[in-house]
Amino acid sequence: MKKYTPAILFLIMMISFGYQLKAHVEEYALAWISFSNFFKKMMGLFL
Amino acid sequence: MGIAQYYFAGTLKFEHLSGRLVCVGVLVSAQIIVTELILGIFGFLYAPLLILVNSLLSLGLIVYSAKQKSLRDLFIEDIKIIQERKKAIWAWENVALMVLGLFVTVWFFFAAYFLPPRGVDDLGYHLPVIYEYILQHKIVLLPIELRFHFAFPFNAELLFLWPAMILHSQQWVDIVQFFMAVLGVGVVYSFARMMDLKSREAFFVALLFFFTPIVLNQIGSNYIDLTYNVFFLTSLYFVLRSCLTKNLTYLYIAAISTGLLLGMKYGAIPLVIILQFFVFPMLARQYRKQLVWYVMIIVALGSFWYVRNWIVLGDPLYPTFLDTLGGSAGNFSAHGPISIGKNMHSFFTKVKVLYSHDVGLGSFAGGFGMVFWGMAFPGWVYIWVNSFKNFTQEGFLRWIFWTQMIFGLAVVVLAPVPMEEFKYISRYSLFVVAIGLIALGKVLELLQFHKIFLKTIKILCIYGAALSVILLSDSAWPVYRLNTAILDRRDGENPSEFRYYRDGVWFLPPMSYSAELLDLLTRGDAKGLSCYMASDYAAFWTTHIYGSKLQNRVWNFEKNPSRDPDAYIYQTLESDQVVYIGRKITLGEIALNPAYQLIAATPYSSFFIRNEFFENKDKIALLLKYYEETFPFNIEVAAKVKEHLEPDIPFVLDNSVGHGFQYFKFKGDLQNKVYWVPPDYVGSVIEREKLRVFYTFGYSFPGFSSHKIYDAMLDGQVIVIYKNQK
């Protein structure tokens, strides 16, 4: 069992991370739009 | 002060540099808090005296330390230790996080410099309290009939007081918690090393703590959860080290940290009690006599606020009470007491929501983040289960550390609040993120021979950290958007920082007009105005009244005001129930008082200033500039309308075009007398002035014969002026 522990742990973490990413994809997508708009404006100011 | 404490800590017995540097953070905070507290209690809280006392203390520490060790040697030793860890620090994953950290640090400093304090509770009570300490030079209790929060413990806020007092400005109060986040990184690193993590992984998980969404969100605010949780971690670290090493230094630093923590938030009490339940028997065995000092230091640093409340209010924990027999759990909820039984009904729902929604994400109130729930928490489950296998003394101490996660999460799910307020609770237990991340570090070491697993997890953690940074741009409480501020600076403008309330949420945009104008008119004055506020409860925020340079006073909070207020702000932004503090002075009294004039208004707020204030030509110039920049359309309307007015007939109006008429009046470019009043006071002013003939804007006045003298369309808005006469 010990032999497989790292693989099992890794698998659980991947599933858990994937679940969290899926659950919050909307919040992060909206934030990304704000962030990229902010950056574009900043670039426009300085360049 | 930092150098003095660093030097002093160098003379103490520490096994690790990281623990010593964390100790420096605790000691610097303690020095700031204790000196302010003592000066404040005795009514000597003056900036020069505060600087003098701290300079002398620091000098004393330097002189004492110089007898033990050379500062140069200490510094060289420490640099050598850091150089030994060079390879670990500059590992690719750590460099990636440091670059991200540098970017976000610049963002925080810009935000603190350009934007005003703008967190909701910051404006309601965290900041007004310390500003009153600064202005009254002593620790005072603000009216609890306005906010019971004024009676909370305020050790953490005393850290915000430092820059505000030294600079006599609000400008840098929002950067204090950045240093707390850095201290948090330090303590996570120290813990990780204590748990036998290699430097590389320890540094990685410590940096990840900085990128927790709630840490990033709170860095630029005055919500004290970050400071409070970091101090819980330092208390936990030093007390466990003291059990592990029998080193007295750790014991005393643990006492200092725990004392400060208890003086920060009532919520610290259960956490400290639970922790002491586990460690106290061990401490009692190991230290015996010194334990009295341990307890005394805790009491000395943490008890002031409780004793004050006991004496003044008859309840040390005012107003948080636990009445479990009666089924009530006190004022945890904004909706009043909620029964513990009722709260238990939603237990499983809350557990589910906590994991699946990461409640509060993107706001001040929460979000442990994707790295925590995705990676660290599952890692912690594995590590915690395995921690039962080793129950030697060291193993038990480690078990105590890992088990704090359960108490932290229990605080979140058991806090007696209804589901709609659940999202505000997770921030109270931010420390669980640190524990989870250290568990993640342990898992990473377990995977060290599986390079693909290791790299994949690290890459995803960096990705998660980057997502947390991105979330900042959508954060509302507080807002971190800098576009407008930078645009203004580029155009050579230097407006009051309160203009940027308009980029905020909730009551901030409507409040921005009076906030900006009050600050603009007074920020150059050594002594500004004493301003009265009457508002509905929810919007009774006073931080902006003090002004960017703390030049103004909130009249309502003055104990024995020597004169009537110079200015008045009335607002009903959420409800019509107005709260009066100090003395009841109604809107009607001021709206109809010819000694004051309305200078800014929205449909739900009015801002008046005493006429004498405008005897100064510079103030008029500032007001005109403000009107030009803020209300160009109203000025345009007034300009068109005034051409059609007969001289000597007064104008009575109750809408925002009043800004335009005030503009021409102050410019001396208007022959008509203008009565600009809040809605509902037009009739009263006509009656008071016994007006027989007058103009009105937008409607004819009942009881008078009226006819239109102007009817036009401007920018899509119909502009109609009536002449009314009897």
Side-chain angles (χ1 to χ4, degrees):
Chain A
M1 185 62 195
K2 252 192 167 169
K3 191 178 154 193
Y4 298 109
T5 303
I8 293 168
L9 269 172
F10 177 75
L11 198 64
I12 290 171
M13 283 175 160
M14 288 304 105
I15 293 168
S16 184
F17 192 83
Y19 174 79
Q20 289 293 327
L21 196 60
K22 190 168 169 276
H24 299 293
V25 72
E26 203 175 317
E27 282 132 313
Y28 287 111
L30 286 172
W32 172 250
I33 292 167
S34 304
F35 185 77
S36 56
N37 281 341
F38 165 67
F39 241 81
K40 274 180 208 159
K41 278 183 189 164
M42 288 296 104
M43 290 305 202
L45 283 179
F46 292 112
L47 297 179
Chain B
M1 207 155 62
I3 293 171
Q5 292 292 3
Y6 164 74
Y7 198 7
F8 173 66
T11 67
L12 302 174
K13 195 178 152 200
F14 280 96
E15 286 83 15
H16 303 286
L17 172 63
S18 58
R20 179 149 54 82
L21 293 180
V22 171
C23 165
V24 172
V26 172
L27 290 177
V28 169
S29 306
Q31 188 177 333
I32 290 173
I33 292 170
V34 171
T35 51
E36 288 172 351
L37 205 54
I38 292 172
L39 292 177
I41 290 169
F42 293 104
F44 293 112
L45 195 56
Y46 293 89
L49 192 59
L50 184 66
I51 294 169
L52 180 72
V53 168
N54 278 290
S55 303
L56 289 175
L57 267 172
S58 303
L59 198 67
L61 284 176
I62 290 172
V63 170
Y64 166 81
S65 310
K67 286 180 186 167
Q68 322 278 321
K69 207 170 196 172
S70 141
L71 180 62
R72 191 171 166 273
D73 291 349
L74 178 70
F75 192 66
I76 289 170
E77 276 171 32
D78 288 348
I79 293 292
K80 268 186 197 160
I81 296 171
I82 293 170
Q83 274 179 338
E84 283 166 19
R85 310 265 181 281
K86 208 165 61 179
K87 214 174 154 193
I89 292 169
W90 294 109
W92 65 269
E93 68 273 21
N94 293 334
V95 171
L97 287 179
M98 283 191 285
V99 169
L100 202 57
L102 189 67
F103 165 76
V104 82
T105 298
V106 173
W107 192 349
F108 285 132
F109 274 79
F110 269 84
Y113 183 77
F114 287 125
L115 304 179
R118 59 214 176 280
V120 174
D121 286 356
D122 309 1
L123 311 181
Y125 73 97
H126 289 297
L127 293 177
V129 167
I130 60 157
Y131 293 163
E132 283 301 321
Y133 296 171
I134 293 172
L135 295 172
Q136 299 195 34
H137 308 293
K138 61 183 176 188
I139 290 183
V140 289
L141 183 62
L142 296 194
I144 48 167
E145 61 270 28
L146 173 61
R147 300 238 184 279
F148 61 75
H149 311 74
F150 289 149
F152 282 175
F154 278 101
N155 271 359
E157 283 82 353
L158 289 178
L159 294 170
F160 304 137
L161 187 144
W162 181 264
M165 182 149 204
I166 305 284
L167 303 170
H168 216 267
S169 164
Q170 299 205 32
Q171 198 159 37
W172 290 109
V173 289
D174 280 345
I175 206 62
V176 173
Q177 291 210 98
F178 170 79
F179 297 100
M180 282 301 134
V182 174
L183 183 61
V185 169
V187 73
V188 174
Y189 178 85
S190 304
F191 258 129
R193 296 288 288 156
M194 183 178 142
M195 295 293 166
D196 304 326
L197 284 186
K198 289 186 185 122
S199 299
R200 180 172 173 171
E201 271 67 36
F203 198 53
F204 181 63
V205 295
L207 286 173
L208 282 174
F209 178 73
F210 186 84
F211 294 99
T212 308
I214 190 166
V215 173
L216 290 179
N217 269 281
Q218 287 209 350
I219 281 177
S221 82
N222 309 101
Y223 278 83
I224 60 159
D225 307 286
L226 174 56
T227 302
Y228 156 78
N229 276 280
V230 167
F231 269 85
F232 176 70
L233 288 170
T234 55
S235 306
L236 183 64
Y237 174 74
F238 286 113
V239 84
L240 293 184
R241 293 293 299 172
S242 71
C243 290
L244 208 61
T245 61
K246 296 179 184 143
N247 179 345
L248 263 178
T249 302
Y250 289 124
L251 184 76
Y252 292 141
I253 303 296
I256 292 172
S257 179
T258 308
L260 294 178
L261 174 73
L262 283 169
M264 288 179 182
K265 215 177 177 89
Y266 291 145
I269 298 171
L271 290 177
V272 169
I273 289 174
I274 291 169
L275 179 59
Q276 297 306 320
F277 171 79
F278 287 111
V279 297
F280 206 79
M282 236 180 288
L283 294 175
R285 260 201 320 274
Q286 288 175 1
Y287 294 102
R288 292 174 193 275
K289 284 178 192 168
Q290 291 92 340
L291 213 57
V292 178
W293 287 105
Y294 174 74
V295 175
M296 278 171 64
I297 294 171
I298 292 176
V299 172
L301 294 179
S303 64
F304 168 73
W305 308 100
Y306 300 91
V307 174
R308 190 269 311 262
N309 285 357
W310 202 0
I311 294 169
V312 180
L313 303 166
D315 178 2
L317 299 175
Y318 185 91
T320 309
F321 57 91
L322 284 165
D323 178 14
T324 45
L325 292 176
S328 161
N331 288 322
F332 283 95
S333 162
H335 292 96
I338 174 170
S339 83
I340 286 175
K342 199 174 167 192
N343 182 52
M344 288 309 289
H345 282 307
S346 51
F347 177 80
F348 290 108
T349 317
K350 283 182 174 176
V351 171
K352 187 171 166 256
V353 167
L354 186 65
Y355 175 72
S356 60
H357 285 74
D358 195 7
V359 285
L361 195 74
S363 80
F364 73 91
F368 291 157
M370 201 176 287
V371 174
F372 176 78
W373 289 115
M375 303 279 191
F377 186 72
W380 170 82
V381 173
Y382 172 78
I383 299 294
W384 183 68
V385 169
N386 277 281
S387 72
F388 283 89
K389 288 179 186 166
N390 175 8
F391 255 66
T392 58
Q393 182 178 335
E394 190 178 339
F396 178 60
L397 289 170
R398 286 172 185 236
W399 178 84
I400 291 174
F401 171 74
W402 298 121
T403 304
Q404 297 302 314
M405 170 79 84
I406 293 173
F407 302 128
L409 293 179
V411 166
V412 177
V413 289
L414 295 178
V417 294
M419 274 311 285
E420 61 267 30
E421 285 179 40
F422 183 52
K423 62 184 174 191
Y424 302 134
I425 302 297
S426 53
R427 63 196 164 106
Y428 297 153
S429 293
L430 174 61
F431 68 86
V432 300
V433 176
I435 296 171
L437 289 173
I438 295 161
L440 173 65
K442 296 292 282 180
V443 172
L444 287 178
E445 293 212 328
L446 202 76
L447 300 179
Q448 62 184 311
F449 301 112
H450 304 76
K451 295 287 180 207
I452 293 176
F453 292 172
L454 194 69
K455 276 193 177 166
T456 308
I457 289 178
K458 283 183 175 175
I459 288 170
L460 288 177
C461 285
I462 294 165
Y463 178 60
L467 287 178
S468 296
V469 173
I470 286 166
L471 271 182
L472 265 187
S473 52
D474 232 13
S475 164
W477 299 345
V479 162
Y480 285 96
R481 287 186 282 277
L482 290 163
N483 311 25
T484 326
I486 290 178
L487 208 66
D488 282 343
R489 291 303 195 283
R490 193 200 63 170
D491 295 343
E493 287 185 41
N494 183 24
S496 159
E497 61 195 54
F498 294 103
R499 173 184 286 187
Y500 309 117
Y501 268 10
R502 288 205 265 290
D503 294 333
V505 291
W506 209 9
F507 304 132
L508 290 179
M511 284 169 107
S512 68
Y513 299 96
S514 55
E516 181 189 354
L517 182 53
L518 176 61
D519 185 42
L520 193 70
L521 290 173
T522 56
R523 66 180 173 178
D525 302 342
K527 199 173 174 207
L529 299 175
S530 180
C531 182
Y532 180 89
M533 179 180 250
S535 168
D536 50 326
Y537 170 80
F540 210 119
W541 298 345
T542 51
T543 300
H544 59 281
I545 291 180
Y546 295 96
S548 54
K549 301 291 172 199
L550 301 179
Q551 68 274 23
N552 301 320
R553 301 290 297 262
V554 178
W555 190 89
N556 315 63
F557 295 158
E558 290 186 51
K559 275 275 179 274
N560 299 302
S562 54
R563 52 177 283 175
D564 282 347
D566 305 305
Y568 292 83
I569 293 175
Y570 291 92
Q571 54 187 29
T572 46
L573 301 180
E574 194 175 77
S575 92
D576 291 332
Q577 297 287 317
V578 178
V579 177
Y580 296 96
I581 298 295
R583 196 172 94 205
K584 185 175 178 180
I585 307 173
T586 62
L587 174 60
E589 287 174 58
I590 300 306
L592 301 174
N593 186 339
Y596 297 92
Q597 57 186 309
L598 185 61
I599 57 163
T602 69
Y604 306 104
S605 66
S606 310
F607 175 34
F608 300 85
I609 287 192
R610 194 189 284 274
N611 291 336
E612 296 151 33
F613 183 74
F614 294 106
E615 286 168 6
N616 181 338
K617 293 275 179 287
D618 294 341
K619 302 298 179 194
I620 294 178
L622 286 169
L623 183 66
L624 294 179
K625 189 167 181 290
Y626 168 78
Y627 284 151
E628 282 165 13
E629 286 172 354
T630 316
F631 301 104
F633 176 70
N634 294 322
I635 292 174
E636 190 189 339
V637 172
K640 295 260 190 234
V641 168
K642 80 185 180 75
E643 289 166 16
H644 301 268
L645 305 179
E646 294 170 45
D648 304 327
I649 298 182
F651 203 125
V652 184
L653 77 168
D654 62 355
N655 59 31
S656 64
V657 178
H659 296 102
F661 279 97
Q662 287 288 49
Y663 175 77
F664 288 110
K665 190 178 107 185
F666 278 106
K667 220 175 165 191
D669 201 6
L670 187 68
Q671 289 178 318
N672 304 68
K673 192 158 190 177
V674 174
Y675 297 99
W676 183 28
V677 290
D680 303 334
Y681 290 94
V682 171
S684 310
V685 82
I686 290 165
E687 198 178 311
R688 186 197 68 189
E689 297 294 322
K690 299 188 174 54
L691 300 180
R692 309 292 297 173
V693 54
F694 57 92
Y695 296 114
T696 48
F697 190 104
Y699 57 88
S700 59
F701 196 75
F704 285 72
S705 69
S706 314
H707 67 274
K708 282 183 194 173
I709 60 131
Y710 182 77
D711 188 352
M713 186 84 108
L714 266 178
D715 278 0
Q717 283 195 34
V718 181
I719 312 289
V720 187
I721 307 296
Y722 290 89
K723 184 178 174 185
N724 310 274
Q725 59 189 79
K726 235 178 196 170

